[in-house]
Amino acid sequence: MKQRIITGVIAGAGFLGIILVGGLPFTLLIFLLATIAMAEILKMKGMSPFSYRGVIGFVFMWLLLLPENILNFDLIHLERTETFLLMIIVLLALTVISKNRFTFDEAGFIILSSVYIGFGFHYFLTARFLDDGLIFIFFVLVLVWVTDSGAYFCGRFFGKHKLWPEISPKKTIEGSLGGIFFAILFGFVYSYFFPVYESWFVILLFILVVSIAGQLGDLVESALKRHYSVKDSGQVLPGHGGILDRFDSLIFVMPILYLLSFIQ
């Protein structure tokens, strides 16, 4: 626990500091975090990050991560949809070229992993550069962290009914509801001092989406780890596991906020 607290304080302070700075340092940090997360998920599958399969995974994840204007050249103009279609065409063609040494299963894994990590970090990067991006990003982070902490303590003291034991045996319904309650409480306090939206109804909707989707994102990564029989996604953060372990909720939430037009 001592190691966990020390790592959390140091890493958290550095992360928040770079978010405040923004610009190129923030962009490079997100690029680094996404790259480490991609390496972690490849290792879960048993793919070496330095193999040709790993390199393909990194390249496609980076294409989805980077802003659209970086992918625009005189002869090539790639939007998110075109990039995604290009991924599918190349990977499917590779199953034939490699005479099935690169399998359909591996192609599907790389596509899904690239989308999961690439889009998740892309919309986090995009949100920071909105007009009120700093207030928006901190709002999301507060809600994710408060939900996580509230769910942990409510589950520990009041938890009796398992939420989804096949995926995460320790999580409880009481903990989940407690996380949502504290997200609403802290979310309204935050919005009072740093208003992101004018309507309190929209604020409530935003809080519920982030809190519920954040918990679902945590369960998604738990299902992934259970499927591949690993305890943590990595060991980058002593006491906390890997980058995916720390950002699973966030990278699941951000694309959902985009789909619901909270990120324009």
Side-chain angles (χ1 to χ4, degrees), residues 87-240:
M87 286 173 52
I88 296 174
I89 292 169
V90 170
L91 290 173
L92 291 180
L94 192 57
T95 62
V96 176
I97 295 170
S98 69
K99 298 179 181 179
N100 245 355
R101 288 191 298 274
F102 179 74
T103 66
F104 192 87
D105 175 67
E106 291 172 331
F109 178 83
I110 289 176
I111 290 171
L112 188 56
S113 298
S114 299
V115 170
Y116 173 44
I117 295 171
F119 274 132
F121 280 106
H122 168 78
Y123 288 115
F124 186 65
L125 182 64
T126 300
R128 173 61 181 87
F129 297 108
L130 296 173
D131 291 338
D132 295 319
L134 192 60
I135 294 176
F136 182 90
I137 283 295
F138 278 123
F139 192 23
V140 174
L141 290 175
V142 165
L143 294 176
V144 168
W145 291 341
V146 167
T147 297
D148 187 55
S149 299
Y152 172 78
F153 286 109
C154 287
R156 185 174 181 180
F157 291 107
F158 307 110
K160 293 182 180 180
H161 303 89
K162 298 298 182 181
L163 178 65
W164 217 299
E166 296 85 359
I167 299 298
S168 186
K170 294 183 179 180
K171 288 183 172 57
T172 64
I173 295 175
E174 291 82 3
S176 177
L177 294 175
I180 295 171
F181 170 79
F182 280 104
I184 293 172
L185 179 63
F186 279 81
F188 276 115
V189 171
Y190 182 94
S191 297
Y192 179 79
F193 292 100
F194 305 101
V196 178
Y197 302 103
E198 294 182 0
S199 168
W200 288 104
F201 173 76
V202 174
I203 291 171
L204 176 61
L205 178 62
F206 184 89
I207 292 170
L208 291 174
V209 168
V210 173
S211 185
I212 294 171
Q215 293 187 63
L216 182 56
D218 185 60
L219 288 170
V220 166
E221 206 234 350
S222 294
L224 185 65
K225 291 189 292 185
R226 183 165 288 271
H227 177 71
Y228 290 111
S229 301
V230 296
K231 183 178 183 295
D232 295 314
S233 66
Q235 300 298 327
V236 175
L237 301 170
H240 289 266

